[in-house]
Amino acid sequence: MVLAVALSLPLALSAPTVAAAVPRADLPGRSIRATIEPTDRQAPAGLQVVTSTAPTLSAVATDPGGAPLDYTFQVLTDFNDRVPVQQATVTGVPSGRPATLALSALRNPGVYGYRVRTTNGRTVSDWSPVTWAVVDAPGVPAEVGTNLRDPASPVLTGLVTRPSGMPVTGWFFLYDGAGRPVGGSPLGVGAADGGERISLRVPDGLTRPGAAYTWTMKACVQDACSAATRPVPFRIPQIPPVLKGTASTTLADKAVSARTAEAVSGACPGTSCVLTAGTAIRVGGGTGSGRRVTLLKVDASGIPRGARITSAVLRLGGPTCAGHGGCPASAHLIAAQLRRALGAEATGADVVAASIPDAGTSSALQDARLDLTDLIRSWRHEPARNTGIAVTSDAATAVGYDLANASAEVTYVPGTVPGAVSEATARQGDGGALVTWAPPADSGAAAPPLTGDGATDTAIPRPHHRLRQSLREPRRRHRSPCRRRLRAGR
């Protein structure tokens, strides 16, 4: 850690000091001071932490005769005060007015000393004592991305970094296709320790379906910010037309079940904690042994057979959080698919190991909504694939939801008969005919059409002979034509 290294230096790290006065009547800078900005105002006492790689030095001195002054600044890395890595002079500064010098890029992290002296052209002051500072600046956010699982409210996310891992604030800026700001500037802010991710959900109503947007992000410590990320483009999907006859159902009560345990391996004495069924969904608790995970299952059998599911949203209601500060506004509820089914003796650590972080969704803690449309479609038609979801939270405090308030709201189009076939053609054959047609554009239900190349024979009695009919079913991928081969038989 940079701060720990700085504290171990064989120096007395302190605030800038006042240079000693020299007993000469015309000596300038008797009360000269050197300072550096920006600094972390929350740094440990006695330690000066610079939060930019291009900080500014400043100093103020007076001349007994009111003459303008020249200031020479030095930046050092040699503890013997002999080798400046940067030195510059600011000339002609009116007596009593500040002189400033913008430094070029410093290493991050790094340890530097700085000092200043001044002259009126006749006499030169002594160097001020060297003050040492640690550079611990936020970097440009990394791994930025846009989550469009809920197109009406996209989630912008990025990873903030800082050498010490101390707190960083993320600033988000959203622009329309013409480069105009959307919402506030910044649109929103969030805080996390260096090395953690910050996400921002765009409020409903700020974006339009089909419109293109870009966004950028900065990482800041108090008033000092990194450069902005490159613009991240995204487009809001068009809202698909509502199919006629849309219906909805709510999966609640026994359709939603939960088992909870500590997520960290070895959190229980001598072993990992076994999942326990209960009446609450428990998550959060930081990154230590108190962190909890919930294995949540939704029984999709209550959705009518053949229903074409258009949306499925799991709602959990309002959370309760440990402590007196309430639930953190910047924290999220995170749901991930599982790569395999887990048994009755599964542990919280098993759930974490089986989860697929890149295959999931997230929501703010308040009024939590998890989009499970694709998963519930799969579970309805293949119940064996319903392995549940792993639910966690990046909240440092423990978070709970009453399972009685959990429900999955499913919107669907009821199954019906298929639409009419088209492109029917017939071709004469040897003792029969080959009839082909295109499958209907509307299958009428979510169940997939029959596939394969198998043939069945059907006897159709006629007065003098019968027809045997062979059916070749279409391959699904390319909407191949259906074929029936008819041939006469005795």
Side-chain angles (χ1 to χ4, degrees), residues 147-346:
N147 186 330
L148 292 174
R149 286 187 176 273
D150 181 2
S153 186
V155 176
L156 318 179
T157 181
L159 183 74
V160 293
T161 59
R162 190 178 176 190
S164 67
M166 296 291 283
V168 180
T169 301
W171 293 30
F172 295 85
F173 302 82
L174 180 63
Y175 306 93
D176 63 15
R180 296 178 296 244
V182 176
S185 186
L187 174 66
V189 299
D193 290 340
E196 296 185 355
R197 184 170 293 277
I198 300 177
S199 299
L200 174 72
R201 182 178 294 276
V202 177
D204 292 345
L206 280 186
T207 57
R208 295 181 294 104
Y213 298 89
T214 59
W215 65 275
T216 62
M217 181 182 180
K218 294 180 179 180
C220 304
V221 176
Q222 283 119 45
D223 300 328
C225 295
S226 71
T229 62
R230 292 183 178 181
V232 182
F234 68 96
R235 183 180 294 274
I236 302 297
Q238 290 281 7
I239 298 176
V242 177
L243 298 175
K244 294 181 179 179
T246 298
S248 63
T249 187
T250 300
L251 307 177
D253 299 327
K254 295 183 179 180
V256 183
S257 61
R259 293 193 292 157
T260 300
E262 284 73 12
V264 179
S265 178
C268 285
T271 185
S272 299
C273 301
V274 176
L275 294 168
T276 303
T279 59
I281 299 167
R282 303 189 185 280
V283 293
T287 58
S289 60
R291 179 181 173 226
R292 300 182 73 88
V293 63
T294 291
L295 175 60
L296 193 69
K297 281 196 173 184
V298 179
D299 182 358
S301 63
I303 303 172
R305 183 178 181 182
R308 289 174 285 182
I309 298 171
T310 58
S311 71
V313 178
L314 179 66
R315 297 182 179 272
L316 301 181
T320 57
C321 295
H324 301 291
C327 296
S330 60
H332 300 84
L333 193 70
I334 303 165
Q337 295 183 39
L338 298 181
R339 55 174 54 91
R340 63 178 184 275
L342 298 176
E345 298 301 318

Side-chain angles (χ1 to χ4, degrees), residues 2-73:
V2 175
L3 300 186
V5 171
L7 287 171
S8 67
L9 292 174
L11 302 166
L13 298 177
S14 61
T17 57
V18 178
V22 179
R24 292 176 57 178
D26 62 346
L27 182 65
R30 294 188 178 214
S31 58
I32 190 171
R33 297 184 61 194
T35 60
I36 192 168
E37 290 290 343
T39 57
D40 188 347
R41 295 184 290 274
Q42 298 178 351
L47 179 64
Q48 195 166 63
V49 177
V50 178
T51 54
S52 171
T53 57
T56 298
L57 291 175
S58 63
V60 179
T62 57
D63 181 74
L69 300 174
D70 298 342
Y71 293 78
T72 299
F73 294 92

Side-chain angles (χ1 to χ4, degrees), residues 66-134:
L69 300 174
D70 298 342
Y71 293 78
T72 299
F73 294 92
Q74 283 188 345
V75 178
L76 311 164
T77 56
D78 185 347
F79 297 154
N80 294 321
D81 304 343
R82 294 178 181 176
V83 184
V85 293
Q86 293 187 42
Q87 178 172 313
T89 299
V90 181
T91 62
V93 181
S95 177
R97 300 292 297 273
T100 60
L101 176 67
L103 300 179
S104 55
L106 304 180
R107 294 191 307 271
N108 186 32
V111 179
Y112 294 90
Y114 60 91
R115 63 182 180 179
V116 65
R117 71 180 179 185
T118 185
T119 178
N120 58 8
R122 300 182 302 276
T123 55
V124 180
S125 73
D126 293 334
W127 286 105
S128 65
V130 177
T131 301
W132 291 91
V134 177

